[in-house]
Amino acid sequence: MSILHEVPRTAETWREVVLAFEAARSYDDPIRDCVIEAAFAGPQGQTIVRPAFWDGGARYCVSFAVPVPGRWTWTLSAPQDSGLDGEEGILDVAPYSGDLAIFRHGFIRVARPDEGLARKILVHADGTPFFWLGDTHWEFAFGESWERSNHPEMASQFRGMVEKRARQGFTVYQTNLRSDFGDHSRFWLTDPDDPSPIPNPAIFQQEIDRRMRYVAEQGLVNVLGFAWGFSMGRETTLAEQITLARYCVARYGALPVIWSIAGEVAGYDEDSRAYLIDSWRKVAEATVEADHHLHLCTVHYTNERPFADYYCDEPWFDFVLNQAGHGDYVIAEADYRDYLARHSEKPFIEGEAFYEGCSSLEENGPRRIDAAMLRRVAYTSLVLGGAGYTYGAQGIWDNVWDARDLDDSPMGQMMKETFNRYGVTWAEGIDLPGADQMGLMRRFFEGHRWWDLAPVSAAGSAVLGRKHPLAAASKDGTCIVAYYSAQARKPLELEGREGVWQASWFDPRSGAVQEAGTIESEGSLVLLRRPTLDDWVLVLEKRS
């Protein structure tokens, strides 16, 4: 006879609820010999099926996030000898009572064409636009300490960083489990070459669960990858990655997540490129199949020119998570315009460009990437039609506790010669000014209904706005937003914009707004010159 534990009777919408059960027996292969699913039936005729995950011994759990209030019933489908088949129960679900947007408006989806938005974006379940503002934490699972900190204002490295980014207005935590890194037994109870790998539930119980839930409790969406792309067939196998993906779907699919599958999926070796693309495609397809496509799925792309587009036409691939790189390529306006024109059917997010404090890899020598450099890419990608931007800080993505640690390993030495020439630690990186400025950027775009802005074409725009500012206009023609990078040196003239326009300048460094009077146009609207040689955003609102 099975024993039911911790089976709640009440819940709130979009909040994780976990049903835990004890099977009547244990199994040699608890993943494949005891497949359990729970079918949840809602008050409006909805049916959502969630897979169970093995939690050690004979314990199995089902996690669920209820999308609408009312009475829901659930029924288990399980092997007869588990004693769980046919178990059922009810959940009485109330509306979410807190103030976090991810639970108030629901998880993330792609906006539908019938919603009439000016650009392809991501929205919450209820249709509220979702501004993706991400932070990069590739070592969140193990490298970032839960208990310790050497930052004077943070008791915990991990929790302190999550809390600060939430305060600054970030909405996304871009992470990776790095299941290909470290001791194989971290994630697996089976040998590396076992064709039927079994995950190690202890590592999830001890480390991953609390981190996943802490990110969610701060209102952030975790964009979760499972490993780095180039590790497929070397440090990790296809069977392992498919099993891990399915396990994560079951264990974390009731949290606000997006599956990003793997980092730099195709790698940079032409001989293995086709193999890696095909292998990670199979992982992505298995992820979506297990998740019933309840959450979005993408990949963390390689750094290429033109921008990478493998998978773009595949049904499981929901949006582009681009990588423009850290200065080894020129990051040009034309790259974004051309890509968005070719792939206008799916949202585009710049997911890894200049990381603040990072050493660029330019042919004319490295520079320390500062806030102005990353603002230029962030605003360029957004004005030209992007759906969001992921920030990153040196010392955080590479998880440097102390600059002296860079001397202690071959990897540290490599970082000193490439991305971390300036010895930036996580404690320095978390306080760099660009992150606050990204929060100002989000508030600016949300305040000007960015989802209603479409980029304006302008002849002779040149590389990265080095001549003209970049402009976007609302569908009804009553609002124009123009970004002037520090390289802009020529005015922009827009045809067909007659009327009287109220002008103001937004300072992307401070968030301050300066009124700039009115402009009268009889058809050809010439934008103002910026107040100083720094980057600025001009806002024009039509008065008559």
Side-chain angles (χ1 to χ4, degrees):
M1 179 66 66
S2 65
I3 303 171
L4 277 66
H5 308 257
E6 307 162 29
V7 178
R9 294 286 301 271
T10 60
E12 288 188 338
T13 50
W14 299 110
R15 299 286 284 169
E16 178 192 37
V17 59
V18 179
L19 315 179
F21 309 93
E22 191 84 12
R25 52 159 296 193
S26 58
Y27 294 85
D28 291 338
D29 186 339
I31 302 296
R32 281 156 282 270
D33 292 345
C34 187
V35 176
I36 301 174
E37 290 184 330
F40 293 85
Q44 300 166 7
Q46 313 96 320
T47 298
I48 298 174
V49 178
R50 289 285 299 145
F53 61 89
W54 176 59
D55 203 32
R59 178 183 169 90
Y60 291 83
C61 300
V62 176
S63 65
F64 184 50
V66 188
V68 296
R71 171 156 288 189
W72 287 71
T73 62
W74 56 264
T75 305
L76 292 188
S77 172
Q80 288 294 323
D81 62 357
S82 71
L84 295 173
D85 191 50
E87 293 282 3
E88 57 186 18
I90 62 170
L91 273 174
D92 287 317
V93 182
Y96 169 64
S97 58
D99 58 3
L100 294 175
I102 193 61
F103 302 121
R104 191 168 69 246
H105 300 296
F107 294 166
I108 309 306
R109 62 178 174 84
V110 175
R112 298 187 303 268
D114 63 8
E115 291 175 289
L117 303 178
R119 60 173 72 193
K120 292 294 291 186
I121 69 166
L122 306 180
V123 298
H124 291 271
D126 68 0
T128 302
F130 175 75
F131 190 96
W132 174 303
L133 181 57
D135 194 33
T136 305
H137 291 262
W138 298 139
E139 299 294 334
F140 106 110
F142 299 105
E144 298 175 359
S145 176
W146 182 271
E147 294 85 7
R148 299 186 306 140
S149 169
N150 58 359
H151 187 291
E153 298 175 3
M154 295 181 183
S156 160
Q157 180 190 18
F158 179 87
R159 287 170 284 163
M161 289 195 293
V162 176
E163 292 163 6
K164 179 157 187 172
R165 291 302 188 238
R167 291 195 302 270
Q168 289 171 316
F170 284 75
T171 58
V172 163
Y173 230 56
Q174 199 164 290
T175 68
N176 196 294
L177 289 180
R178 293 312 310 269
S179 63
D180 55 324
F181 183 75
D183 184 356
H184 184 269
S185 63
R186 263 185 179 173
F187 278 93
W188 304 104
L189 296 176
T190 43
D191 294 332
D193 57 352
D194 195 306
S196 300
I198 298 174
N200 178 5
I203 199 64
F204 295 90
Q205 295 160 356
Q206 295 163 9
E207 286 293 345
I208 312 301
D209 287 1
R210 62 183 180 176
R211 295 167 188 267
M212 294 290 296
R213 292 192 174 106
Y214 204 83
V215 169
E217 289 300 320
Q218 296 297 317
L220 301 169
V221 177
N222 195 327
V223 179
L224 183 68
F226 307 125
W228 225 250
F230 57 76
S231 68
M232 180 67 76
R234 293 164 51 185
E235 292 87 0
T236 188
T237 68
L238 179 58
E240 285 177 339
Q241 287 304 319
I242 287 177
T243 300
L244 179 61
R246 290 182 176 277
Y247 191 78
C248 287
V249 165
R251 195 163 191 121
Y252 303 124
L255 297 173
V257 297
I258 291 172
W259 313 114
S260 63
I261 307 301
E264 300 186 285
V265 177
Y268 298 101
D269 183 348
E270 285 300 319
D271 292 338
S272 62
R273 183 181 177 90
Y275 164 75
L276 294 177
I277 289 174
D278 183 58
S279 296
W280 288 110
R281 172 190 292 113
K282 292 173 182 174
V283 177
E285 290 172 341
T287 303
V288 169
E289 180 185 36
D291 194 36
H292 302 277
H293 221 145
L294 296 176
H295 294 288
L296 298 181
C297 188
T298 187
V299 298
H300 175 248
Y301 265 147
T302 34
N303 178 16
E304 302 179 18
R305 294 296 186 280
F307 292 153
D309 63 0
Y310 46 90
Y311 304 140
C312 261
D313 298 327
E314 302 186 26
W316 59 266
F317 185 80
D318 292 309
F319 66 94
V320 174
L321 188 58
N322 189 55
Q323 182 183 171
H326 304 295
D328 44 338
Y329 286 111
V330 171
I331 301 178
E333 171 198 336
D335 292 323
Y336 292 104
R337 283 197 189 275
D338 294 348
Y339 193 92
L340 287 161
R342 293 198 317 274
H343 300 291
S344 60
E345 73 284 357
K346 292 185 177 179
F348 176 95
I349 291 165
E350 179 50 70
E352 184 173 342
F354 289 139
Y355 282 170
E356 193 170 10
C358 182
S359 317
S360 68
L361 303 179
E362 296 165 293
E363 291 297 322
N364 61 347
R367 292 183 289 164
R368 178 168 168 144
I369 294 167
D370 61 17
M373 294 167 70
L374 67 93
R375 286 197 310 271
R376 185 179 67 180
V377 179
Y379 278 90
T380 294
S381 64
L382 285 161
V383 171
L384 293 180
Y389 186 80
T390 298
Y391 168 86
Q394 193 66 46
I396 295 177
W397 74 269
D398 53 340
N399 194 44
V400 177
W401 186 265
D402 188 293
R404 291 169 293 186
D405 296 340
L406 295 170
D407 296 320
D408 294 340
S409 68
M411 177 63 74
Q413 287 292 325
M414 184 275 287
M415 293 300 296
K416 285 184 67 173
E417 295 171 0
T418 52
F419 297 116
N420 206 344
R421 290 173 179 248
Y422 304 101
V424 180
T425 67
W426 81 271
E428 178 185 352
I430 194 65
D431 292 332
L432 290 173
D436 280 324
Q437 294 169 9
M438 293 295 97
L440 297 175
M441 180 182 73
R442 175 192 166 192
R443 289 191 283 277
F444 170 81
F445 277 107
E446 288 181 333
H448 291 88
R449 297 177 57 86
W450 64 281
W451 56 89
D452 194 39
L453 299 173
V456 175
S457 296
S461 290
V463 172
L464 200 58
R466 286 177 179 164
K467 294 182 180 179
H468 301 283
L470 307 176
S474 60
K475 286 194 300 182
D476 64 6
T478 61
C479 179
I480 296 170
V481 169
Y483 176 64
Y484 294 63
S485 74
Q487 288 75 22
R489 61 179 185 270
K490 290 188 176 181
L492 180 64
E493 186 172 342
L494 302 178
E495 298 295 332
R497 305 288 174 173
E498 65 279 350
V500 178
W501 299 82
Q502 182 67 46
S504 61
W505 290 104
F506 173 77
D507 184 343
R509 292 162 295 284
S510 67
V513 175
Q514 300 178 19
E515 295 301 324
T518 59
I519 305 173
E520 294 189 24
S521 168
E522 297 182 357
S524 180
L525 178 62
V526 180
L527 302 192
L528 301 174
R529 292 188 178 275
R530 63 187 187 276
T532 69
L533 295 179
D534 301 303
D535 57 326
W536 290 86
V537 185
L538 175 66
V539 178
L540 296 172
E541 296 178 288
K542 194 171 185 179
R543 295 306 182 204
S544 63

